[in-house]
Amino acid sequence: GEDVEQSLFLSVREGDSSVINCTYTDSSSTYLYWYKQEPGAGLQLLTYIFSNMDMKQDQRLTVLLNKKDKHLSLRIADTQTGDSAIYFCAAAPGLGGSQGNLIFGKGTKLSVKP
Amino acid sequence: ETGVTQSPTHLIKTRGQQVTLRCSSQSGHNTVSWYQQALGQGPQFIFQYYREEENGRGNFPPRFSGLQFPNYSSELNVNALELDDSALYLCASSFGAGGRQETQYFGPGTRLLVL
C-alpha cells in the first residue's frame, strides 16, 4: 500500500524560504495534498496538486512534484512566525483518489525564529 | 473555517467504556471520513461513509464502528475503550461521485483521553 515519508523537523529564520519535502510510494496517487496543523487544532488544507502537473503556485506557496522520483515539496516564501506549525503531506491512492482515504506522513514541524 | 463541525471538543473516559463522537459535514458534501491521530503521529484512516454506506475501512478493529445519516452527518462509535484509543479524532467531509472523491476538508477534532 501507499507509504508517505517526511523529515520531522525544519527550523528557519523569519523572512527566509522554507522547503518541506515528502516522498510517496504509490504511483496511482493522482492527488497529493499539503495540510497545516497548529497546536491543538484540526487540519487546514493549504494546497494540492494533480499528478499531471509539475508545479503549482498559490501566493507564498509553491508545490513541486517530481512524479518519476515520487517526490513532493512545499516551498513557503518569506516565512513568518505565524507559519510555525506541523505540515502534513498526504496522498490519495487509487485513480482520482478512488480508494477514498488519505495516507499521511508523520508531519514536519516547522519552527520559525524571529 | 471549513464548515465541518465536531462534538464534543474534549472527552475523558475510562477503560472499557463506550464513546460516540459526532461530525457534521460541510454543505454540499456527501462523504465523511474519520481519522485517528495519536500524539506525534500523522492521521490514520479509520473508515469512510459515502451516501450512508461504509465505503472503505482502515486497519482498525470492529469495535470501531460508524453511521452516516440522511443529512450526511456521521457518528463514530468506539466500544470497550483501551488506553491506546487516546487520540485526536478527526472527521473530514468531501464530495464523491462516480467512484472518485474530491478534496477532504477537516473539522477541528475531538480529543479523547482514556484513563
Side-chain angles (χ1 to χ4, degrees), chain A residues 31 35 37 45 96 98 100 102, chain B residues 35 37 45 48 99-100 103-104:
Chain A
Y31 287 91
Y35 287 89
Q37 187 174 40
L45 175 70
S98 56
L102 291 175
Chain B
Y35 294 82
Q37 186 181 18
F45 176 70
Q48 181 181 84
R100 184 181 161 274
T103 302
Q104 296 186 20

Side-chain angles (χ1 to χ4, degrees), chain B residues 4-106:
Chain B
V4 181
T5 60
Q6 292 187 243
S7 62
T9 53
H10 295 84
L11 205 48
I12 300 175
K13 291 284 188 178
T14 54
R15 270 186 306 176
Q17 285 190 311
Q18 178 263 343
V19 70
T20 297
L21 310 182
R22 294 179 175 85
C23 172
S24 290
S25 57
Q26 189 168 305
S27 176
H29 287 179
N30 56 12
T31 304
V32 171
S33 305
W34 286 92
Y35 294 82
Q36 180 195 65
Q37 186 181 18
L39 204 59
Q41 302 295 315
Q44 298 282 318
F45 176 70
I46 304 174
F47 44 56
Q48 181 181 84
Y49 278 83
Y50 167 63
R51 298 175 71 177
E52 300 180 62
E53 298 281 336
E54 189 178 287
N55 182 49
R57 189 179 181 94
N59 189 24
F60 280 80
R63 59 191 184 82
F64 285 78
S65 63
L67 280 176
Q68 187 178 32
F69 300 99
N71 66 355
Y72 303 124
S73 66
S74 177
E75 284 182 357
L76 163 66
N77 298 289
V78 187
N79 292 323
L81 282 166
E82 300 177 1
L83 296 179
D84 283 351
D85 296 333
S86 295
L88 181 67
Y89 288 84
L90 295 162
C91 92
S93 84
S94 57
F95 178 77
R100 184 181 161 274
Q101 284 294 329
E102 295 189 358
T103 302
Q104 296 186 20
Y105 293 89
F106 284 80

